Amino acid sequence: MKNILSFRFFAIVLLFVSIAACSSEDGADGANGRDGIDGTDGTNGLNSLITTLIEQPGENCSNGGYKIEVGQDINDNGQLEASEVDATEFLCNGDASGLPFLSYVSLINQTGTQDPTSTVLENTLGLSIVWTRESQGKYVGSLDSNIDIGKTVIFYTTPTTHTGVRGEIVGDNEVRIELQNGTNAFADDFSNLSFELREYE
């Protein structure tokens, strides 16, 4: 009888120890492994470019308007070339007879230290502009008749050879344009800069 009780007591103790061992807490996490080697950098993406040109009256716009070209700078030269144009859109003027403004439209060219020259495309304002090179990348246009500054706006486009153009009406018979090729770098030598003055009624 005593042996039976001893065996039962031993079995109960063994069962208790087994349960306690199974319910023990997890140990602490081990240290993180070393980071793997960085992957190879991907290829740089291409820059997108957009150009805006004055579209003369014709097949695309019966009363003229603007031609907008968009594409990627595949050769990374900062200029949107004909082979890089992905899409072309036209913003056309309405019937010119009903427009509430008169306009002067021209294409301006400049080389070296010479004064700019212009080809007049439309001139319902009936004026002429003589351009003078003031300094590198800066030009003054003198009008032979006055305009109403409060009713006149100026439009211009950036040639593909430059990064920016600034234009302003500085008096009732004077306008200015400045061309940049880089930050604060004024530059000469451009072609087919579209220029327009509109005087509203």
Side-chain angles (χ1 to χ4, degrees):
M1 182 67 177
K2 185 180 294 185
N3 290 336
I4 294 174
L5 291 176
S6 297
F7 176 77
R8 289 181 178 176
F9 176 77
F10 176 76
I12 292 172
V13 171
L14 181 62
L15 178 62
F16 177 78
V17 171
S18 299
I19 294 173
C22 292
S23 61
S24 62
E25 296 181 358
D26 293 339
D29 293 339
N32 292 332
R34 289 181 296 178
D35 293 339
I37 299 173
D38 292 340
T40 304
D41 292 339
T43 304
N44 291 334
L46 299 174
N47 292 323
S48 294
L49 299 175
I50 181 171
T51 60
T52 304
L53 299 172
I54 293 177
E55 181 71 13
Q56 298 310 307
E59 180 180 352
N60 297 315
C61 291
S62 58
N63 295 304
Y66 293 91
K67 177 181 180 180
I68 301 174
E69 296 178 331
V70 180
Q72 293 182 320
D73 190 11
I74 297 174
N75 60 8
D76 197 29
N77 67 349
Q79 302 177 26
L80 184 61
E81 300 178 358
S83 60
E84 298 173 329
V85 175
D86 294 326
T88 301
E89 295 290 341
F90 295 93
L91 299 178
C92 299
N93 297 325
D95 184 359
S97 63
L99 294 177
F101 59 81
L102 300 176
S103 64
Y104 171 94
V105 182
S106 68
L107 294 176
I108 305 175
N109 300 276
Q110 193 275 335
T111 303
T113 59
Q114 299 178 7
D115 293 331
T117 60
S118 60
T119 301
V120 179
L121 305 175
E122 179 180 325
N123 190 10
T124 55
L125 274 173
L127 55 79
S128 64
I129 301 178
V130 177
W131 291 96
T132 303
R133 180 182 184 271
E134 185 179 63
S135 60
Q136 182 169 302
K138 299 182 179 182
Y139 316 94
V140 176
S142 299
L143 285 61
D144 67 346
S145 60
N146 293 343
I147 56 176
D148 187 339
I149 298 178
K151 295 182 178 180
T152 304
V153 293
I154 184 173
F155 298 92
Y156 45 85
T157 59
T158 302
T160 57
T161 51
H162 290 64
T163 58
V165 176
R166 177 178 179 269
E168 63 176 335
I169 302 172
V170 294
D172 56 10
N173 61 357
E174 185 175 289
V175 293
R176 292 176 59 89
I177 55 174
E178 298 177 353
L179 282 82
Q180 290 184 315
N181 196 3
T183 304
N184 297 323
F186 295 98
D188 292 315
D189 297 306
F190 61 88
S191 60
N192 292 332
L193 184 154
S194 301
F195 176 86
E196 180 178 1
L197 288 176
R198 289 185 185 179
E199 184 178 81
Y200 285 80
E201 298 175 353

